[in-house]
Amino acid sequence: MAGNTARLALRNTPEVAVDWQVVLRHMALSRALDAMEETRLVPEKKVLYQFSARGHDMAQILLGLRLDGRHDAVCGYYRSRPLLLSLGVDPEDALGSAMGRAGGYSDGRDIGVVFNHPNPNGATALPMCGGVGAQYTPTAGWAQALEFHARMLGSAEHGRSIAVVLGGDGSVASNGFWSALTMATTQRLPMLFYIEDNGFGISVASTMQTPGGNIAANLASWQGLKIFAGDGTDPAEAAQLTADAVAYVREKRAPAMLRLTVPRLQGHSFQDTQAYKSEKLVQAERVRDPWDKLKAFLVPSQVTAAEWEGAVQTAAETAEAARLAAEARPVAEPATVLRHVFDDGEMQRMGGLRPSGWEPPPMSDTPRPEGQRLNMVTAIRRVLEQELASNPRMVVFGEDVGPKGGVHAVTLGLQDKFGAERVFDTSLSEEGIIGRAVGMALAGLLPVPEIQFRKYAEPATEQLNDCGSMRWRTNNRFAAPMVVRMPVGFFKCGDPWHSQTNEVAFIHSPGWKVAAPSNAEDAVGLLRSALRGNDPVIFLEHRAMLDHPWARRPWPGDDFGLPFGKARLVAEGQGATLVTWGGMVDRCLEAARGLSVDVIDLRTLVPWDRAAVLASVSRTHRCLIVHEDLQTAGFGAEIAAVVASEAFTALDAPVERLTMPDIPSPHNPAFLNWAVPSVAAIRAKLEDLMGF
């Protein structure tokens, strides 16, 4: 096996250059911080979540000291503080974040062990997530962005940089691991999978995560992946393997895995007593403590006993000074948690186009119609084509978006015009599609991923949620602007797999803007604004409207862009307010024909134009909300609650909703036509409301 070959070769390899004094300094500080938390700060309830790195620490530090590329990036997990220290993170920030104080990684918004470290001029620690395995696909996205910057934008520095992802043995069972592995090996990405195998995922043995408990052995024949494996507690062996693995990825521009076995010398977290481990196993793990092995390796051959003790003392003093400074930090003003859900004018430090100085071209929200009426498919494709031509950092990807042009033909011809580096197919993994997009956005690209149908977004839920919360949970240090295109809703028939809308799931995921255009003109304006914005956007393309005659509009102009949160009044009257969006707008207009009714097309759901709705209801005194999604907890319920609360005294009738019943979308057209609000059903509901 390749891993065995790498390990045996150590006996004949010259000793790798390592500044062991620096390793000792960082490791001593890591141990001092762990001990301080375990013996003082957690018992005093000043730190609420604590994950000891003892046993993992030396190997992580050896890795961090190798990440010297200008655009190197690493994504770890909750046990990765030694790595962060080796990258230069201030121990005061580390402790202050653990205490939830102002400043640090998140200003007290996130768990202190969920690190991030923006560093435009050196190795960056990408925003970590609390979910095991969520770190893999964004790191693969960063690796692909490195190659894009190098090959397409001519950046030699990117062409020497690498992406590294850390994970424990439990994480190799996750969707993200396998998706990233597929991406890295099929695309030959400069990505290092660094697996710290301590034998347990909390209490579950690694043999439950992969057969035999050795992922390196099991991947020995995986094509395109170089394997390195060995003992992460042996200083010389760990140093050599780490140097070799990093050098391989950096020089060969190809993926590798480095699996190092390490002991977890404390419970999974502070509260974990490890009662599931036998005393014999606990003792065997203590014998493998890399701290003791490092001392035996260094003293007296490279440092004296006095120098060792001096380093320990200095680390204790540094940790105490960091504690005093961290405890002196205030808790941020609670109301500040409302900031940085979206771009609020204060630039994020990393992620997206704008931190590098990019400014969007000017736009106008006044349409200048020209030419024949276009369907939504053609209009969306034309916007994508124009923005790809004007923005060399924009990429479009997803399942079947390349030569086929998408299952709805929206991307037809774009790969021919812009090449397979900028418009490309992906593996069949929505987790990978969105996770890749996150990493690419963090690396300064504009990703435009397509999810083929709304239902298919479910495997990407974790990545979508993590992306949306990124700006907020890092206190505006990072953001990942992107535009996720997603067909939704019924077409000629329905079914539970291709015909969902379920937009409320995205509305309930903070940080995402959500667009739901009903026609080609609005699709042009909203898509262009989304592509030139600084927030992640879900762009819903209703399948029934893509080629619907009613939805066709003349081209509104090459600079036409619409603001989010501005509804369109598509019909005006005095008797009632009808609020809708997406695939229901044309039906509502037809149902209101001949009646004195305001028909409001919201156009965007996050943000939504509550002012327009409330102003209309204050005139008409009645409100009906129509949407295709299910009634229970549908977005209409939110609109109804706002109207009932903020326009209560203006109402002359109850706020009403007309929606699909709480069932999956049925396949038979007769069933579908019965379930989806029809023109006749909307008309009857309106007449009942107006006659109340």
Side-chain angles (χ1 to χ4, degrees), residues 14-233:
E15 184 175 330
V16 66
V18 176
D19 189 335
W20 290 105
Q21 295 272 10
V22 174
V23 174
L24 171 58
R25 184 173 74 246
H26 288 313
M27 190 171 179
L29 179 57
S30 178
R31 291 287 171 122
L33 294 173
D34 277 343
M36 176 181 289
E37 289 176 336
E38 292 162 9
T39 60
R40 296 171 59 184
L41 299 180
V42 174
E44 292 171 3
K45 301 191 184 305
K46 293 177 179 177
V47 169
L48 302 180
Y49 282 90
Q50 197 269 346
F51 293 81
S52 173
R54 288 188 294 118
H56 292 237
D57 36 14
M58 183 189 71
Q60 284 188 23
I61 292 163
L62 290 169
L63 172 65
L65 296 178
R66 293 282 164 192
L67 301 182
D68 53 9
R70 168 77 186 277
H71 300 290
D72 284 355
V74 59
C75 195
Y77 62 113
Y78 43 79
R79 216 177 301 283
S80 299
R81 185 166 62 191
L83 172 75
L84 272 292
L85 295 175
S86 71
L87 296 182
V89 167
D90 190 331
E92 179 188 332
D93 272 348
L95 277 183
S97 297
M99 295 180 188
R101 301 303 177 94
Y105 312 132
S106 72
D107 211 39
R109 297 167 178 227
D110 203 349
I111 303 172
V113 297
V114 181
F115 309 100
N116 65 79
H117 179 53
N119 187 11
N121 298 309
T124 288
L126 303 180
M128 302 177 191
C129 302
V132 173
Q135 67 269 36
Y136 286 103
T137 53
T139 309
W142 183 283
Q144 185 168 351
L146 291 176
E147 296 299 274
F148 185 92
H149 278 286
R151 292 200 293 256
M152 303 299 294
L153 304 177
S155 171
E157 288 181 328
H158 284 85
R160 288 283 300 160
S161 299
I162 67 172
V164 181
V165 63
L166 278 70
D169 48 283
S171 70
V172 305
S174 68
N175 293 343
F177 173 82
W178 292 102
S179 179
L181 185 64
T182 298
M183 281 191 276
T185 50
T186 59
Q187 304 300 306
R188 191 179 171 89
L189 300 179
M191 179 174 175
L192 176 61
F193 292 78
Y194 180 93
I195 305 301
E196 305 171 80
D197 191 338
N198 64 35
F200 287 89
I202 305 184
S203 66
V204 179
S206 59
T207 51
M208 297 296 292
Q209 315 297 349
T210 190
N214 186 340
I215 189 64
N218 293 335
L219 292 176
S221 61
W222 190 279
Q223 186 173 342
L225 183 70
K226 177 71 171 178
I227 301 288
F228 299 85
D231 185 352
T233 70

Side-chain angles (χ1 to χ4, degrees), residues 4 18 42 59 81 92 242 321 340 381 387 402 415-416 497 521 555 560 585 589 612:
N4 287 338
V18 176
V42 174
R81 185 166 62 191
E92 179 188 332
T242 301
H340 303 317
R381 184 192 303 130
E387 296 300 307
Q415 188 180 84
D416 290 339
W497 319 113
E521 180 181 296
W555 180 251
F560 181 63
V585 176
L589 271 174

